[in-house]
Structures are given as C-alpha cells and as structure tokens.
C-alpha cells in the first residue's frame, strides 16, 4: 500500500522526514545525502503464510531507507544485510546475497525500525508463523540522484513527472536573494 495514495504523505510522512529523519540522517549518513533529503516514497508491506513470506536480496531506489516493523505476532522473517550494491558487469545481471561472505542477520521486532543505506544489499528470510506488517520509507536526495541514478549508476535523463518523480528534480532548489526583496 503506497501511503501517498491514502493521502498520508503531507499529514504524516513529509513531517516525519523533515522534522525527525532529516536531522538524524544528516548526522548518521552525511556522505550519502543524509543532509539533503527532499523527497520520499513510503509504503506498507505484509508478509504472511500463503502470501509473500520472504523477500530476496535487493537494494532500494533510495539514498537511505527506514524499515519499521508495525505489528502482528510473527516468528522468523529476519532481515539480512550484505555489502553495498555495485553496478552489475556484463557477466552478472542479478543481485545475490552471496556477494558478501556472511550477511548480517537482524531479528525485526514490532515497534522497532532499522535505518540503512538504500544501496545496502538486503532481504528478508522466510516468515515462520503469523503476519508481519512493515512501514518502509525510501528517503531520497535529489542533489545526489540528479548526478547518478542509484538504480542504473548513470547520469539520469530527467523528464517531467507529478509529485516527487522518484526523487529526481529538473533543477536544483532555488535560493531567495534577500537583498532583492527589500
């Protein structure tokens, strides 16, 4: 479920990003856009028996990611983290958790969130029992992604789009000349 489709971007996710996540990410991740977060994509995912029970190794279309376990009782479903994504060569076209010798596993606990780089290879182990609902917020910095697309590792060709446009902007944000206003 995309939160912007429910009308929750402006009243919930944008203030969360601007007031809380932006200052924290600027301190924790200044080298990968933490200080310039200007857009996001937020969604809720559900893992349950008979439905999606796991998620294979991948990286996110974001500079930084917040993943919060919202609820329900569950067992299993640990998150695992490997190295940072590197653009695939002509010989490889998929991402594999085997790209790191020992992925770090983290038990996801209801009410707790995990912050990580979007380019961090990660996935979710199979759910054992119950249901797990997660809030995922992809945090984006156009100042970073306008130079290099995090998905294809090339300079992007920008096109007009509604909303945040996957975090790209056609122009850098403008500044106001205070002297011209007086």
């Amino acid at each position: 479920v995309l939160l912007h489709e429910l009308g929750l971007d402006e009243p919930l996710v944008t203030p969360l990003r601007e007031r809380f996540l932006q200052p924290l990410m600027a301190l924790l991740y200044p080298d990968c856009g933490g200080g310039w977060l200007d857009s996001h994509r937020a969604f809720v995912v559900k893992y349950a028996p008979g439905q999606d029970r796991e998620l294979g190794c991948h990286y996110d279309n974001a500079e930084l990611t917040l993943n919060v376990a919202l609820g329900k009782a569950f067992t299993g479903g640990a998150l695992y983290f490997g190295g940072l994504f590197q653009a695939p060569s002509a010989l490889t076209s998929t991402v594999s958790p085997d790209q790191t010798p020992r992925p770090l596993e983290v038990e996801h606990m209801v009410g707790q969130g995990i912050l990580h780089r979007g380019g961090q290879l990660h996935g979710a182990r199979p759910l054992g029992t119950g249901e797990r609902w997660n809030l995922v917020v992809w945090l984006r910095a156009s100042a970073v992604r306008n130079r290099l697309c995090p998905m294809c590792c090339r300079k992007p060709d920008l096109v007009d789009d509604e909303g945040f446009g996957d975090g790209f902007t056609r122009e850098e944000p403008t500044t106001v000349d205070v002297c011209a206003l007086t």
Side-chain angles (χ1 to χ4, degrees):
V1 175
L2 294 169
L3 295 189
H4 79 272
E5 290 179 352
L6 300 176
L8 294 175
D9 259 353
E10 290 310 311
L12 177 68
V13 185
T14 297
L16 173 67
R17 174 178 46 87
E18 291 175 349
R19 293 184 197 150
F20 300 103
L21 295 174
Q22 168 88 32
L24 180 62
M25 297 301 196
L27 291 172
L28 296 176
Y29 298 102
D31 59 329
C32 61
W36 303 287
L37 302 174
D38 55 5
S39 69
H40 59 267
R41 178 168 298 246
F43 51 95
V44 174
V45 295
K46 174 186 173 185
Y47 298 92
Q51 299 177 18
D52 289 339
R53 294 184 56 239
E54 63 187 301
L55 183 60
C57 189
H58 65 283
Y59 57 96
D60 298 335
N61 185 359
E63 280 64 61
L64 299 160
T65 298
L66 170 65
N67 184 330
V68 180
L70 295 177
K72 299 253 180 164
F74 62 90
T75 62
L79 302 178
Y80 61 89
F81 295 89
L84 291 175
F85 166 74
Q86 295 179 2
S89 68
L91 301 175
T92 61
S93 60
T94 60
V95 177
S96 167
D98 298 331
Q99 289 178 308
T100 57
R102 286 186 171 190
L104 170 69
E105 289 207 8
V106 179
E107 292 297 325
H108 217 5
M109 298 170 58
V110 174
Q112 294 187 5
I114 296 172
L115 300 170
H116 64 88
R117 294 174 187 263
Q120 187 87 40
L121 296 174
H122 62 284
R125 300 282 186 220
L127 190 68
T129 62
E131 291 183 7
R132 185 177 87 203
W133 292 72
N134 290 59
L135 167 66
V136 178
V137 183
W138 287 348
L139 301 161
R140 295 164 165 172
S142 61
V144 172
R145 63 185 34 231
N146 281 356
R147 284 185 239 133
L148 186 70
C149 173
M151 302 307 287
C152 68
C153 298
R154 294 191 303 254
K155 183 164 177 52
D157 291 325
L158 302 177
V159 297
D160 291 330
D161 192 16
E162 300 269 332
F164 290 129
D166 276 341
F168 297 94
T169 59
R170 190 169 287 283
E171 300 173 1
E172 293 297 318
T174 58
T175 57
V176 176
D177 182 355
V178 177
C179 294
L181 298 176
T182 58

